[in-house]
Amino acid sequence: MASLPERFEKWFAAKGWRLRAHQAEMLDAAQEGADALLIAPTGAGKTLAGFLPSLVALAARPREGLHTLYVSPLKALGTDIARNLQIPVAEMGLSVSIETRSGDTPANRRARQKEMAPNILLTTPESLLLLLSQENSGVYFKGLACVVVDEIHALAGTKRGDQLALCLSRLRALSATRIVGLSATVAHPEAMRRFVGPEARLVQAKEGAAPEITLALPETEIPWSGHMGLKSAELVLRKIAQAKMSIVFVNTRAQAELLFAEIWRHNEENLPIAIHHGSLDIAQRRKVEAAMAEGKLRGVIATSSLDLGIDWGGVDQVLQIGAPKGVSRLLQRLGRANHRLDEPSRAVLVPANRFEVLECEAAMAGVAEAALDGDPPRPGGLDVLAQHVLGMACAGKFHPDDLYREVVSAAPYEDLSRPDFDAVLGFVEDGGYALAAYERYRKLFRDSEGFVYPANAKVVQQFRMNIGTIVEAPLIKIRLLGRRGGGFGAALGEVEEYFVNQLVPGDSFMFAGRVLKFIRLRENAAEVVEAPGKEPKVPAYAGARLPLTTNLAARVRAMLHDPGCWGAFPEQVRDWLALQRRRSRLPGPNGLLVETFPRAGRWFMVVYAFEGRNAHQTLGLLLTKRMERAGFAPIGFVASDYVLAIWSAYRPEKIEQLFHEDLLGDDLEEWMETSSLLRRAFRQVAVIAGLIPRQLPGVEKNRRQVTVNSDLIYDVLRRHQPDHILLRATRADAAHGLIDLSRIAALLARAKGRITHMALSRVSPLAVPVLLEIGREHVQGEAEELLLAEAQALIAEAGEDENVHGNFIHGPKGQNMLFDHT
């Protein structure tokens, strides 16, 4: 096993450290030129293990030019790692240059890096593709010895991961580089190892101290419904006060804004608490990160913007508000507390409703068993491949045979057929059969020997302006003016365009932890002033909800069905489940429970599927179409992560036929073709593939322009070339992400021949939370009071003859404890 050079041995000794076994294995792999995937818990020196071979090599043979490339999903993570790397370099007196490169890097520094590369460059997948598309990329990367991919689990299986895998295959073609993957949470190690390389070594560190996870519940009533966790703001504030520094994780940006405001409303001691999420201006985020690093904050309310491996040192507690939605995600988040392998991380889970209590208990059991979850990586996207093909042409001519061999060496594309590759290349070349007549879609040409070139310099410029696989809704900057509405003002961040379009001058909304009044929209900025208003709106963001993992959903079903597991639940939840068992049945690990009952002149059908909100929404659309044909006159449906409820004019019958597996046949095809879902997916695919550029020199298209253009092209392709490569990519994306087709298929297979239909005379206790969601989205004032009265009646009906009326409705001081929602 490898040993450290004397200079490094002394440095380790001065720190009181010793070389860990997995760090020595990574040195061995480097000396043998082998790729490696390191899976190590937080605090195990994972990042140092990834960089140690590079530092040792550069110490032994100092050199100019790029030696090691570091790629991470977050710009902030690269900045943090660069800062931490400078410490051993300075303390050992190594002649090693280290720099970062991202979209935030000043143009003059990027230009200098192109001419004189540092020894170690830390970057993102998008910036890497931009570098590889340069004409001098072959020279720039010729001496590259190592690529370190950090938090590899967050990239593999995503479009950014597809992009990175293709870039890695190009780097291997340019230099004798080896690939290193790093992660603390890998659910599918063999698939991840192949992502690193077909012969990559799997290095696993020993487990650290088991985390300490506790559940924090309201002192009074646990809400029946809702997901914001605002009722627990005072509880969360007390937890923050008891620790040195806490990260309070939430699942959406809107939730971050609301919870931050609610916590500050109770923060009479003025504890320094900040907010951090991806829509805030980068200067605002950097200010918060700097304050964290300096130990000036007691708490930060954050989304996944702080999920990944940044070491904040002083953080000794993590709070998760709302259910974590996955065991791996919970482990990743609790790893932000206490970066020491031999000491436990402390985490507090704060469920927002009764179903979330069950999910939190299931997640804690999953952590105890180290049962990591998440979907295995899927095949690479054809739209991402189209972007890569054009990028490689921008770097210099290529022959299709050579590029095909390079592409299929990337794990996500290892099964890509040559006809599919040629179809993608043909699309990039001229748009395909249906679009070839239009000059604007001709981006490549071939010479007499079959080599491929970009059509002109404009194509190259346009490609470099539109690199990336993250297609966000168009964003509007938020600019804070002086109190009188004058001056240029400070940038606070960005919100989605559709939200700003809903505002009229004088409207108030919540952003960056402030209540702002909208003054006007000027060019690409919403100008605002600080002015508290009544009932401020909260920006919502497309796709913000985190999906419930399949494994965690299965755990919840199993715990529900087994009263032996109920001992961990609070008394209110145990009573709720016991009442459900008396009134109806409990969902089980296998099969499917469906309840029907009349209420308020309608018939309700409640499906306990536990397959996540996306799958339930799709299932609701398909079932209502089938119920309509059967004459049940469906009126509407509502879906949560756990339950689907449909209400209709007539009593649903022949329940087994409604859930027949042919639901995913003609019904699905008809719905997908007539809904706007495929059009929405096509817009994303078209932008990534370069068919519709978002940015042109001097121009940025707005959302309406992109939508109109993509809809016109979508109709043309469907009519004239239905097998077009982008239509195939669109359907694959829709099936995987937007409608969760595989989970619906698994549900129908599980239910076949095992549906338990409970025909009830009234609502069941377990159905109450999802029925409380009906009509709750946009209610204020008197409408909210009417909704509260209806909710009280609903709970009373579910507990009829069980003496549950009073305690199940109100908390102290008249607080409404029915649901936790704004």
Side-chain angles (χ1 to χ4, degrees), residues 17-59:
W17 297 348
R18 58 179 177 79
L19 187 68
R20 297 184 186 274
H22 60 274
Q23 293 171 331
E25 285 186 65
M26 294 298 283
L27 282 169
D28 286 340
Q31 290 174 3
E32 296 168 27
D35 299 332
L37 169 64
L38 171 61
I39 303 174
T42 299
K46 178 172 70 269
T47 305
L48 181 58
F51 280 103
L52 195 55
S54 297
L55 295 178
V56 168
L58 287 167

Side-chain angles (χ1 to χ4, degrees), residues 423-499:
V424 171
L425 178 58
F427 156 72
V428 181
E429 201 166 3
D430 60 17
Y433 165 75
L435 302 175
Y438 300 92
E439 183 68 29
R440 78 187 75 151
Y441 301 122
R442 297 181 184 175
K443 297 179 179 177
L444 303 177
F445 74 90
R446 303 192 197 201
D447 64 16
S448 58
E449 296 179 355
F451 284 91
V452 178
Y453 303 76
N456 51 56
K458 182 180 177 182
V459 166
V460 176
Q461 182 186 24
Q462 187 171 298
F463 167 79
R464 291 175 181 158
M465 292 180 67
N466 289 277
I467 281 176
T469 61
I470 302 173
V471 182
E472 295 181 335
L475 299 174
I476 298 292
K477 296 183 186 301
I478 303 296
R479 193 169 296 282
L480 182 65
L481 305 177
R483 290 191 177 275
R484 297 176 182 267
F488 290 104
L492 296 182
E494 297 174 317
V495 298
E496 292 184 3
E497 181 184 56
Y498 86 93
F499 176 76

Side-chain angles (χ1 to χ4, degrees), residues 601-743:
R602 298 174 178 177
W603 280 92
F604 286 81
M605 181 173 75
V606 178
V607 183
Y608 296 93
F610 292 87
E611 292 294 347
R613 190 178 301 267
N614 272 4
H616 292 170
Q617 287 176 335
T618 303
L619 183 63
L621 288 163
L622 295 175
L623 285 173
T624 51
K625 286 184 71 71
R626 181 163 282 192
M627 291 172 69
E628 189 174 355
R629 285 203 305 273
F632 301 137
I635 299 169
F637 71 88
V638 64
S640 71
D641 269 327
Y642 317 105
V643 184
L644 166 68
I646 300 174
W647 54 100
S648 57
Y650 302 106
R651 179 178 183 171
E653 297 175 345
K654 300 180 179 178
I655 300 299
E656 291 79 6
Q657 293 182 15
L658 291 178
F659 291 89
H660 194 277
E661 287 177 294
D662 63 7
L663 189 67
L664 298 184
D666 293 342
D667 286 329
L668 176 66
E669 290 296 320
E670 179 186 348
W671 170 66
M672 288 184 70
E673 292 300 330
T674 57
S675 76
S676 62
L677 180 141
L678 286 183
R679 291 180 183 273
R680 191 164 77 246
F682 181 77
R683 283 172 219 149
Q684 305 247 344
V685 166
V687 170
I688 292 171
L691 184 67
I692 302 176
R694 283 289 305 274
Q695 297 189 52
L696 295 169
V699 179
E700 182 175 353
K701 291 185 177 181
N702 61 36
R703 185 176 68 162
R704 177 167 174 76
Q705 289 172 316
V706 171
T707 299
V708 170
N709 289 350
S710 68
D711 285 355
L712 287 172
I713 297 171
Y714 177 73
D715 290 335
V716 168
L717 294 182
R718 281 189 61 201
R719 192 176 305 118
H720 298 291
Q721 196 178 355
D723 63 341
H724 192 280
I725 206 75
L726 293 193
L727 292 183
R728 290 172 52 191
T730 296
R731 294 182 71 85
D733 276 9
H736 175 76
L738 297 176
I739 63 176
D740 260 346
L741 193 58
S742 62
R743 294 188 71 166

Side-chain angles (χ1 to χ4, degrees), residues 223 225-232 352 776 817-822:
S225 185
H227 58 273
M228 289 296 186
L230 305 187
K231 300 296 182 188
S232 299
R776 286 235 329 267
M817 300 299 291
L818 291 172
F819 41 78
D820 194 332
H821 179 78
T822 297

Side-chain angles (χ1 to χ4, degrees), residues 198-256:
E199 305 298 326
R201 294 185 185 180
L202 178 59
V203 179
Q204 291 189 277
K206 72 171 187 177
E207 291 298 321
E212 295 177 357
I213 310 175
T214 57
L215 205 64
L217 299 169
E219 295 175 356
T220 54
E221 190 70 17
I222 301 171
W224 287 70
S225 185
H227 58 273
M228 289 296 186
L230 305 187
K231 300 296 182 188
S232 299
E234 290 182 90
L235 183 155
V236 171
L237 186 60
R238 288 198 300 273
K239 294 290 184 183
I240 291 173
Q242 293 166 5
K244 179 182 176 183
M245 188 194 303
S246 304
I247 298 180
V248 182
F249 280 113
V250 296
N251 292 339
T252 69
R253 297 172 193 179
Q255 186 182 11

